[in-house]
Amino acid sequence: MAARLLEGKFFAAEIKKSVYIEVENFKKNQGITPGLAVIIVGENAASKVYVANKHKACEELGIYSEVIRMAETISKQELLEQIASLNKNTAIHGILLQLPLPEALRNDEAELLKAIHPDKDVDGFHPVNVGKLATGQEHLVPCTPAGCIKILELANIEIAGKHAVIIGRSNIVGKPMANLLLARHATVTICHSRTVDLPSITSQADILIVAIGKAHFVTKDMVKPGAVVIDVGINRLADKKLVGDVNFEEVKEVAGAITPVPGGVGLLTIAMLLSNTVKAAVLQHNTKNS
Ligand code: NDP
């Protein structure tokens, strides 16, 4: 294997270590425990696992965590009332609405996310936070792209001046990723399903971020020798095996550094949620926390 392996567990541990210190400082200075509320609607099996992992991670770092389980049949109005009550709850500093929502609420997603107070929006999906990120005023930033940046920073990989190519333009990964890289002075290209001759663009990337949702999509002929490859994708194969969007076995032979799946970006997403929760608590109490 030629590439340096960027294992998520080392970076996640680093982030959790500093979050733990921030939590302790906040408790000492303010006499308050940072609190996260996660709302889960319905019975999506994968969402239940994610929510349980988030709860466990909060407990490990001394963050108060509340899981609010709501029936699949809940109305938009009831959900809005729940969010409004959490917005007012001073024990809760971060609110996360677990996605995807059940089919019947899918069209209300934007309105529901907008109902979360921007200062408690630990997922960074509120239009105010999206706008702040787009205008270079990072506030609460989406956890997965923030985790990708942390990997690059903690691995001492230079971003400024590099050509970063992102495959995927979703609101939760691709677009915020582009803004975060731009703010760190990369030259950024965003590709998507209508991009013509994708390999000719990806093979120019010094940093290639892949967030498509298609198993083994990126092959070695699409990667510039020595490039840093960050694989955000999580795909379950028919045999239940989890794989990324990158064909790891062949790309690791040409890349300079690569994240594995599982064990890569996914671990950073939860760590950044914890980091955002403490950040939100500090912001709401208008304190420096040192
Ligand atoms: P979306 O489905 O919202 O977006 C996928 C993007 O990929 C779209 O912009 C789409 O283009 C683009 N795309 C699809 N097919 C192609 C193609 N053939 N060529 C080029 N671009 C293509 O996915 P998400 O951004 O939500 O997630 C992407 C992946 O990341 C998924 O596997 C998801 O599970 C994973 N994920 C992992 C997380 C983690 O914690 N590690 C967190 C969030 C997501 P277009 O816009 O034109 O349709």
Side-chain angles (χ1 to χ4, degrees):
M1 169 163 168
R4 171 182 174 196
L5 188 63
L6 302 171
E7 285 192 85
K9 63 181 174 191
F10 297 116
F11 306 115
E14 193 88 356
I15 296 163
K16 285 183 180 174
K17 215 177 348 167
S18 39
V19 171
Y20 180 74
I21 294 167
E22 285 176 54
V23 171
E24 289 299 301
N25 282 343
F26 190 75
K27 286 179 179 171
K28 197 171 68 199
N29 296 339
Q30 302 293 322
I32 303 168
T33 301
L36 172 72
V38 178
I39 307 173
I40 175 165
V41 187
E43 300 296 326
N44 182 302
S47 292
K48 281 183 173 176
V49 174
Y50 293 144
V51 169
N53 288 342
K54 286 167 187 173
H55 183 66
K56 189 165 154 254
C58 281
E59 280 188 337
E60 278 167 14
L61 296 193
I63 295 173
Y64 170 71
S65 155
E66 203 169 302
V67 178
I68 297 157
R69 295 182 178 82
M70 307 194 93
E72 183 132 15
T73 50
I74 194 148
S75 69
K76 178 180 84 176
Q77 195 49 40
E78 284 169 294
L79 206 40
L80 285 170
E81 280 162 20
Q82 178 63 70
I83 293 169
S85 140
L86 291 170
N87 280 339
K88 281 194 233 126
N89 185 340
T90 52
I92 296 298
H93 303 94
I95 305 170
L96 185 152
L97 179 60
Q98 184 67 41
L99 302 177
L101 291 170
E103 201 56 50
L105 289 165
R106 220 43 80 77
N107 289 337
D108 301 316
E109 186 180 299
E111 185 181 345
L112 290 161
L113 291 175
K114 212 166 87 180
I116 296 172
H117 192 286
D119 288 346
K120 294 194 176 187
D121 168 38
V122 281
D123 251 342
F125 295 159
H126 192 287
V128 166
N129 288 326
V130 174
K132 285 190 171 176
L133 176 59
T135 52
Q137 313 164 67
E138 284 174 27
H139 190 60
L140 292 168
V141 171
C143 301
T144 300
C148 295
I149 292 290
K150 277 285 177 195
I151 292 178
L152 296 172
E153 287 175 351
L154 292 170
N156 289 318
I157 292 166
E158 183 77 40
I159 300 175
K162 295 290 160 64
H163 185 191
V165 174
I166 304 160
I167 322 182
R169 57 172 163 179
S170 71
N171 291 336
I172 65 168
V173 188
K175 285 180 195 153
M177 190 75 244
N179 280 319
L180 287 166
L181 288 163
L182 262 184
R184 285 157 185 77
H185 312 296
T187 300
V188 179
T189 304
I190 310 177
C191 303
H192 45 78
S193 66
R194 310 285 183 95
T195 298
V196 175
D197 195 5
L198 186 66
S200 75
I201 299 170
T202 58
S203 56
Q204 293 174 39
D206 302 309
I207 299 171
L208 180 62
I209 314 262
V210 191
I212 318 172
K214 289 193 171 146
H216 296 153
F217 182 87
V218 171
T219 47
K220 71 174 180 199
D221 53 302
M222 298 169 75
V223 177
K224 176 163 124 179
V228 176
V229 179
I230 307 283
D231 188 355
V232 180
I234 301 176
N235 309 286
R236 198 171 284 281
L237 300 180
D239 64 3
K240 301 264 191 283
K241 196 176 164 212
L242 275 188
V243 298
D245 290 347
V246 174
N247 187 327
F248 181 83
E249 287 308 316
E250 56 173 76
V251 172
K252 73 177 199 253
E253 300 302 330
V254 292
I258 187 167
T259 59
V261 178
V265 174
L267 298 173
L268 274 287
T269 299
I270 290 195
M272 293 316 294
L273 172 68
L274 304 172
S275 170
N276 272 353
T277 302
V278 184
K279 189 174 175 185
V282 171
L283 284 167
Q284 283 158 52
H285 288 269
N286 203 15
T287 164
K288 276 207 156 54
N289 201 41
S290 51

